[in-house]
Amino acid sequence: MKKKKFDAYPPFLRVIRLAACASTNDYLANNHEQIEHDLPVLVTASEQTRGRGRHNREWVSKKGLGVYASFAFHLKNDKRLSFLPLAAGLAVIETLEAISAPKAGLKWPNDIMVEGKKIAGILIENKVFAERVFCIAGIGINLNHSPGDFPGELQDRATSLKLITGKAYEIETTNRILAHLFFSWLEKLKQGRQQEIAAKANEKSRFLLGKEIAFHQRDQIITGVFRGIHDNGGAIIEHPPGTFTIHHSGEITNIQP
Ligand code: BTN
């Protein structure tokens, strides 16, 4: 955990540390014009008063419990963009491995799971300007939560590193490690190494292979079998038996044991 490389943030990154804000994603979106010339930018907050998850869900963001961090950067508007959620997910898994080595898995496209429960989540929000995309990748990692820190309905589905190992984790160190690993995966993406990203994402989602899942896409729920991540970054679902479809949006909402 104390590797020299991680003692400072990457030198090319502008870091804005906030004691509190509504949401680090919103901070970047609202200050888009001011920060645009300084990209890449990372905003971290010790707490968020309106932390958001995907599908407008609340993200528990109390002080001292977790990483609340958002990266802003530009990408070209091309097929590489659809691999950003996977690349960000892999950076989070490697961050968890660097600080604690739990067996973390990737639930397509970018939920991070340990022992069947969610430990980290990613909210990517892009603004497309013709050939260029302004990307915001917001990352929440549950580090020091106790069961009572999660609302009742999440207690069976969410976990934290402390709940798994019994230890407390330093947030600032974790933010720095995350910053290095995030840009290392982003660089692979920029270099067009999507196949490497898809291969690693498949390796990290092996725990889901062959499992029966419920897949939520818009207002439709499909029950099928997860068959991995396609070379184009989509989720491969078998439904009905013998028919394989590739999905580029949606969420795996239930996994049969
Ligand atoms: C999810 O899995 O639903 C995504 C959770 C993303 C949470 C992070 S915390 C930092 C950033 N700011 C937010 O309001 N949300 C993201």
Side-chain angles (χ1 to χ4, degrees), residues 23-25 48 50-54 57 59 67-70 111 118 121-123 138-140:
S23 147
T24 50
N25 269 37
Q48 299 183 117
R50 255 184 303 143
R52 295 186 290 114
R54 292 172 74 213
R57 295 181 194 124
W59 186 260
V67 162
Y68 316 120
S70 299
D111 283 342
K118 181 158 162 173
I122 299 167
L123 179 64
I139 295 176

Side-chain angles (χ1 to χ4, degrees), residues 12-14 34-41 72:
F12 54 82
L13 179 65
R14 178 175 163 212
Q34 292 92 307
I35 59 160
E36 183 144 64
H37 304 290
D38 281 338
L39 296 180
V41 172

Side-chain angles (χ1 to χ4, degrees), residues 47-85:
E47 64 180 308
Q48 299 183 117
T49 51
R50 255 184 303 143
R52 295 186 290 114
R54 292 172 74 213
H55 309 292
N56 267 330
R57 295 181 194 124
E58 180 203 353
W59 186 260
V60 175
S61 304
K62 294 181 209 159
K63 192 172 175 181
L65 296 189
V67 162
Y68 316 120
S70 299
F71 297 93
F73 49 92
H74 280 140
L75 283 181
K76 280 204 180 129
N77 187 10
D78 63 24
K79 60 180 192 298
R80 284 174 283 193
L81 201 58
S82 56
F83 287 81
L84 179 57

Side-chain angles (χ1 to χ4, degrees), residues 69-226:
S70 299
F71 297 93
F73 49 92
H74 280 140
L75 283 181
K76 280 204 180 129
N77 187 10
D78 63 24
K79 60 180 192 298
R80 284 174 283 193
L81 201 58
S82 56
F83 287 81
L84 179 57
L86 299 178
L90 293 171
V92 174
I93 289 179
E94 287 189 348
T95 301
L96 289 168
E97 289 170 352
I99 61 174
S100 175
K103 277 236 161 305
L106 182 75
K107 176 163 81 71
W108 185 96
N110 55 16
D111 283 342
I112 314 303
M113 312 293 289
V114 175
E115 296 175 358
K117 295 182 177 183
K118 181 158 162 173
I119 197 164
I122 299 167
L123 179 64
I124 293 185
E125 297 180 302
N126 294 332
K127 273 189 197 176
V128 179
F129 298 97
E131 287 175 6
R132 199 168 46 88
V133 184
F134 173 72
C135 305
I136 297 175
I139 295 176
I141 306 179
N142 299 338
L143 293 178
N144 299 321
H145 302 54
S146 302
D149 290 316
F150 296 111
E153 72 276 11
L154 284 187
Q155 282 178 12
D156 291 345
R157 290 188 280 130
T159 191
S160 75
L161 217 44
K162 186 176 166 199
L163 284 171
I164 288 157
T165 67
K167 294 186 203 143
Y169 292 85
E170 225 194 49
I171 294 166
E172 178 64 14
T173 313
T174 312
N175 286 339
R176 281 201 304 270
I177 296 174
L178 174 66
H180 283 276
L181 295 170
F182 183 84
F183 284 101
S184 146
W185 280 100
L186 193 65
E187 194 48 39
K188 290 189 179 87
L189 183 70
K190 286 183 173 173
Q191 290 170 358
R193 291 156 66 185
Q194 296 95 300
Q195 295 327 313
E196 221 174 293
I197 295 171
K200 193 73 173 175
N202 262 314
E203 186 188 314
K204 293 297 179 186
S205 48
R206 212 175 282 148
F207 75 104
L208 265 181
L209 264 191
K211 288 250 158 87
E212 192 165 301
I213 55 159
F215 190 78
H216 211 124
Q217 197 172 34
R218 283 174 229 112
D219 358 356
Q220 222 198 344
I221 299 180
I222 304 165
T223 306
V225 176
F226 181 77

